[in-house]
């Protein structure tokens, strides 16, 4: 189960292309014992409602209760970080501790349901329309936790895959689709290629 927001849904990929990173990962896993289900929703947030219910609200129905689900790959949190930079969402500001607590809820509930949990770092978003220095500091703190906590079954580092080596708080120019938030087809291909095929074993 690929579970997340628009970066999992595949926003920014060309309509004529193979889709976002879950679809490309499914191609790589063809012939194995694994299938990949894309449960990404554009605008989704971990802690608050956005485009529909929050990730915590929809976790059971959209992931844990899916027949045959055995592994959850979570990429979520950038909208929790970015949206409060806008006045209309300022009252829903989330700290790094809030987001990490949300991840811990996902871990507990998924493990109770018998699923392995893989969490990815949050990619860069400088120049996106809701970037702020405060949000960047939160992203860095959350990513540091993801990289070091022993509580995850496995982790992916999409931040490292997508960031510009010369400017690590931004996406690589060729890996962004034009809004400096969503990957391009090349970015999605790089994300999928970075996933170990035994990540859920």
């Amino acid at each position: 189960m690929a579970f997340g927001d628009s970066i999992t849904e595949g926003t920014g990929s060309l309509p004529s292309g193979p889709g976002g990173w879950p679809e490309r990962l499914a191609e790589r896993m063809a012939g194995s014992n694994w299938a990949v289900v894309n449960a990404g929703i554009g605008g989704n947030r971990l802690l608050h409602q956005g485009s529909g219910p929050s990730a915590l609200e929809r976790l059971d129905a959209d992931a844990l209760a899916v027949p045959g689900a055995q592994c959850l790959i979570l990429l979520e949190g950038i909208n929790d970080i970015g949206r409060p930079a806008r006045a209309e969402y300022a009252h829903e500001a989330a700290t790094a501790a809030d987001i990490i607590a949300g991840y811990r809820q996902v871990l507990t509930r998924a493990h109770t349901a018998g699923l392995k949990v893989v969490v990815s770092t949050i990619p860069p978003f400088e120049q996106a329309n809701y970037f702020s220095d405060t949000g960047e500091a939160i992203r860095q703190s959350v990513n540091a936790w993801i990289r070091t906590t022993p509580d995850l079954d496995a982790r992916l580092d999409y931040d490292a895959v997508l960031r510009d080596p010369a400017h690590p708080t931004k996406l690589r120019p060729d890996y962004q689709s034009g809004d400096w938030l969503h990957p391009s087809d090349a970015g999605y291909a790089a994300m999928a290629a970075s996933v170990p095929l035994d990540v859920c074993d």
Side-chain angles (χ1 to χ4, degrees), residues 23 57 62 77-78 158 165 198:
E23 289 74 24
E57 291 173 320
D62 288 1
I78 192 59
Y158 285 155
D198 61 353

Side-chain angles (χ1 to χ4, degrees), residues 89 162 168 175 196:
Y89 293 105
L162 294 173
Y175 280 1

Side-chain angles (χ1 to χ4, degrees), residues 72-74 99-100 102-108 110-111 115-121 142-157 199:
L72 182 78
I73 301 179
L74 177 67
I99 294 170
I100 291 166
Y103 289 161
R104 290 192 184 279
Q105 286 191 52
V106 173
L107 281 164
T108 298
H111 284 160
L115 276 71
K116 183 174 182 177
V117 180
V118 181
V119 179
S120 174
T121 54
V142 170
N143 282 352
W145 179 83
I146 292 169
R147 290 186 175 109
T148 59
T149 181
D151 298 334
L152 306 180
D153 298 307
R155 58 183 55 80
L156 301 174
D157 199 345
V199 68

Side-chain angles (χ1 to χ4, degrees), residues 165-177:
H167 197 143
T169 55
K170 293 174 61 176
L171 296 172
R172 268 180 49 167
D174 56 330
Y175 280 1
Q176 65 93 22
S177 62

